[in-house]
């Protein structure tokens, strides 16, 4: 599943090709994604993309009178390719541009989304209830401590709650808690402000490092094959249960939390 760094790398990958490029056609091959693709998306024919932004894991293509919102779901990929490249299975949606390129969405599992937001409406809709971006100044020292007050949920569940902070998915919650030395099962309301401030720094660092690493895959967005936007990363704990801790050599353990796997080191991480 693409997490925040993959979506940010996708934004960086497609932006230079679509910004200031005029849409000549909107092609919907299968409108049944997570939600049906609304007919309003055809409004953008004749308009140019002003900029591409990201909020949580949503890509926001800004146009004069509204925003095309794209979500990659579990398995979605976006590519910028020449319009003559034949359509493949699961190519459900595309924008054709005046310069002969297309932005093509492939999504085998169809949990992705293509939606239209009229100007100024997005702040009240789908995006309005989201917490701050982890890489923004709003996600700062003292923020997590204040939000965690009296919370009895495990810290990992707390971090993955989009109302608290967006985009800290399972991989990065595991990694950040390991690097901060906090057990995933520790109760959110019992963690000190000092430890939360360190965790805040580490969340920013792990996400930035992943985005930087993903930068090497930018060329994949313009290739007809492959899986652009998915990149291999060096991880301390995620996917390594039963293997030795890279810091202390202790065997890493696994626990299920909210139906997701949490991997941790019983020596390096404390409650
Ligand atoms: Zn360890």
């Amino acid at each position: 599943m693409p997490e925040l760094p993959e979506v940010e790398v996708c934004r960086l990958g497609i932006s230079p090709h679509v910004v200031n490029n005029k849409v000549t056609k909107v092609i919907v091959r299968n409108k049944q994604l997570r939600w049906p693709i609304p007919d309003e998306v055809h409004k953008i024919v004749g308009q140019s993309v002003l900029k591409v932004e990201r909020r949580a894991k949503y890509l926001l293509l800004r146009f004069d009178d509204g925003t095309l919102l794209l979500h990659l779901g579990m398995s979605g990929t976006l590519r910028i390719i020449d319009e003559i490249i034949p359509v493949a299975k699961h190519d459900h949606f595309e924008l054709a541009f005046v310069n002969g390129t297309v932005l093509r969405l492939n999504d085998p599992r169809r949990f992705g989304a293509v939606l239209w937001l009229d100007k100024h409406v997005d702040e009240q809709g789908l995006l309005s209830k989201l917490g701050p971006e982890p890489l923004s100044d709003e996600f700062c020292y003292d923020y997590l401590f204040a939000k965690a007050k009296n919370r009895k949920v495990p810290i990992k569940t707390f971090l993955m709650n989009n109302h608290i902070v967006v985009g800290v998915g399972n991989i990065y919650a595991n990694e950040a808690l390991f690097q901060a030395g906090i057990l995933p099962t520790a109760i959110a309301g019992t963690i000190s402000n000092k430890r939360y401030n360190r965790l805040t720094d580490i969340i920013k660092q792990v996400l930035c490092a992943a985005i930087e690493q993903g930068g090497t895959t930018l060329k994949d967005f313009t290739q007809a094959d492959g899986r652009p936007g998915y990149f291999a990363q060096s991880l301390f704990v995620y996917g390594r249960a039963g293997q030795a801790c890279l810091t202390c050599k202790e065997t890493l353990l696994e626990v299920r939390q909210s139906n997701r796997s949490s991997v941790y080191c019983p020596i390096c991480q404390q409650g």
Side-chain angles (χ1 to χ4, degrees), residues 164-217:
I164 304 297
V165 56
V166 299
V168 185
N170 198 35
I171 294 175
Y172 299 102
N174 270 288
E175 292 299 305
L177 288 170
F178 172 79
Q179 292 186 40
I182 301 171
L183 279 176
T185 49
I187 299 303
T190 66
I191 295 168
S192 70
N193 197 19
K194 191 173 165 209
R195 294 179 89 199
Y196 269 126
N197 287 344
R198 180 166 151 72
L199 178 61
T200 302
D201 281 339
I202 287 168
I203 288 170
K204 289 176 191 279
Q205 282 165 23
V206 296
L207 292 171
C208 284
I211 292 166
E212 210 166 293
Q213 213 171 342
T216 59
T217 70

Side-chain angles (χ1 to χ4, degrees), residues 178 237 244-252 264-269:
F178 172 79
V237 287
C245 172
L246 297 175
T247 306
C248 75
K249 308 280 182 258
E250 181 69 24
T251 302
L252 298 177
Y264 64 96
C265 173
I267 305 288
C268 296
Q269 291 170 261

Side-chain angles (χ1 to χ4, degrees), residues 99-139:
N99 68 350
T101 60
V102 294
L103 175 68
R104 200 169 273 177
L105 173 70
N106 183 282
D107 186 2
R109 297 185 63 184
R110 291 194 284 119
F111 282 103
V114 177
L115 297 170
W116 176 256
L117 303 169
D118 277 319
K119 209 169 189 181
H120 308 308
V121 176
D122 53 322
E123 272 62 48
Q124 293 139 41
L126 206 52
L127 309 178
S128 67
K129 298 178 188 76
L130 297 174
E133 287 289 324
L135 299 176
S136 71
D137 293 342
E138 214 187 320
F139 185 65

